[in-house]
Amino acid sequence: MRPNASETSWEESFLSAEHAGGDPPPRLTAWGVALCASGAVITAENAVVVTAILATPSLRAPVFLLLASLGLADLLAGVALVTRFLFLFCLAPSAWSELVTSGLLVTSLSASLCSLMGVALDRYLSLSHALTYGSGRSRRRAALLLLLVWAGASVVGAGPAMGWHCLDEPASCSVAPPLTRTYLSLLCGGFLAAVAVTLQLYAGICRVARRHAHAIATQRHFLPSGQPYAGKRGGGRGFSRLVLVLGVFVGCWMPFSLWGLLGDASSPPLYTYATLTPAAFSSLLNPLLYTLRNKDIRKVLLHACCPRRQAAQMHCPEDV
């Protein structure tokens, strides 16, 4: 049974696939306004980050290529949210608009998650291969990795448009129409695998950093060679930052990944929005956690905003 436009609630305004091509747009809701506003902020925020990285020749290390990829993925997520709003509340919703916006969201979120995993891999390699990492060969490898990430994300995101949807068979819908339950289950399974790999990489970062700190302290005779090292000054701050990064990462991605595996078309829509919102909100937090915490990017942005102020006067803490 297809609801009328006047009966459309805020819970049905985000991922509903039940509006036919000839139905008028639903009435504007507070959820729709929040959808458009968040998409606009995400787009503007990440556009600044991507522009700053691409316009600065000195920012060509592997980590900056990965951060640019992360910013581009989150920018596309913001564009997808704004496009979703336009199709829902300004134009007549159609099957085509459902497939396009869903595919764009899947592509952007997949590329964002894979870019986050690439950032973790970069941090691990930069610690474990500190003398050789960052060379031209490493940049070529990072560029190849990003090419594979975006090719894979594009193929995954093209699934709904290529026929992997439930518009013709509502019984096969997942908790996020028009995606089928099989498609979303595979997608969420991949998300959980990426989360597990990322957590393993950050655990490796902790091990390598602790081993290096122990070696330095031993060489400088700060402690006996057999005594384990426990950082006192910088270790606590670095560990708290790492906990913050991991907490936001897991908190944003785990709820929807688990709900996509456990729920089905008969599940309450409110649970879908409650778990999908943090995943989309991660696109708003990523520039703050990963990009703007980098002192080199902060210097570029400061110089663009205040050209007369010397960026060298800033005392910026190192990122994790």
Side-chain angles (χ1 to χ4, degrees):
M1 182 177 179
R2 186 174 300 152
N4 297 325
S6 60
E7 297 174 351
T8 303
S9 65
W10 71 272
E11 295 178 357
E12 297 169 301
S13 61
F14 188 71
L15 285 173
S16 175
E18 299 179 357
H19 298 288
D23 290 346
R27 59 184 176 86
L28 188 62
T29 63
W31 178 257
V33 174
L35 174 71
C36 183
S38 60
V41 173
I42 290 172
T43 301
E45 183 183 29
N46 287 280
V48 171
V49 169
V50 174
T51 302
I53 294 176
L54 297 183
T56 307
S58 61
L59 302 182
R60 293 295 180 269
V63 63
F64 297 117
L65 296 178
L66 293 166
L67 291 176
S69 173
L70 177 61
L72 179 59
D74 293 333
L75 186 152
L76 290 180
V79 171
L81 293 177
V82 174
T83 304
R84 184 73 175 178
F85 171 85
L86 294 176
F87 278 125
L88 277 174
F89 299 105
C90 300
L91 304 173
S94 63
W96 178 82
S97 68
E98 293 285 344
L99 297 177
V100 169
T101 54
S102 297
L104 186 58
L105 274 173
V106 170
T107 300
S108 60
L109 294 179
S110 299
S112 178
L113 184 57
C114 291
S115 297
L116 289 175
M117 186 168 57
V119 170
L121 178 62
D122 170 82
R123 291 177 173 178
Y124 175 77
L125 294 177
S126 64
L127 282 176
S128 59
H129 302 82
L131 297 179
T132 59
Y133 196 69
S135 62
R137 186 176 182 181
S138 298
R139 287 191 290 270
R140 289 192 295 271
R141 289 178 178 175
L144 178 60
L145 174 63
L146 293 180
L147 180 62
L148 294 176
V149 165
W150 280 97
S154 299
V155 170
V156 172
M162 299 300 293
W164 209 342
H165 58 78
C166 62
L167 294 179
D168 299 327
E169 299 180 6
S172 64
C173 284
S174 65
V175 296
L179 307 181
T180 65
R181 195 169 192 274
T182 302
Y183 177 85
L184 187 62
S185 297
L186 294 175
L187 191 65
C188 291
F191 285 174
L192 289 175
V195 169
V197 171
T198 303
L199 292 179
Q200 287 294 324
L201 288 172
Y202 275 113
I205 290 173
C206 291
R207 290 193 297 268
V208 173
R210 192 176 184 85
R211 186 166 59 247
H212 287 180
H214 182 276
I216 293 174
T218 301
Q219 292 175 359
R220 294 180 179 179
H221 308 288
F222 287 162
L223 72 164
S225 58
Q227 180 179 345
Y229 175 77
K232 295 182 179 180
R233 304 188 67 178
R237 184 175 60 182
F239 182 75
S240 64
R241 290 176 180 173
L242 182 59
V243 170
L244 175 63
V245 168
L246 292 180
V248 172
F249 177 73
V250 174
C252 286
W253 286 101
M254 285 292 287
F256 181 72
S257 298
L258 294 175
W259 178 242
L261 291 173
L262 300 176
D264 54 28
S266 62
S267 302
L270 180 59
Y271 295 161
T272 300
Y273 312 130
T275 55
L276 185 57
T277 298
F281 193 63
S282 66
S283 298
L284 185 65
L285 295 177
N286 286 338
L288 302 178
L289 290 176
Y290 293 92
T291 304
L292 299 181
R293 289 176 58 243
N294 185 283
K295 63 178 182 179
D296 296 315
I297 297 179
R298 282 204 304 266
K299 288 180 180 179
V300 171
L301 294 176
L302 178 66
H303 180 73
C305 297
C306 306
R308 296 182 181 181
R309 183 176 180 180
Q310 296 295 329
Q313 297 177 354
M314 292 189 62
H315 299 281
C316 305
E318 296 290 339
D319 57 347
V320 178

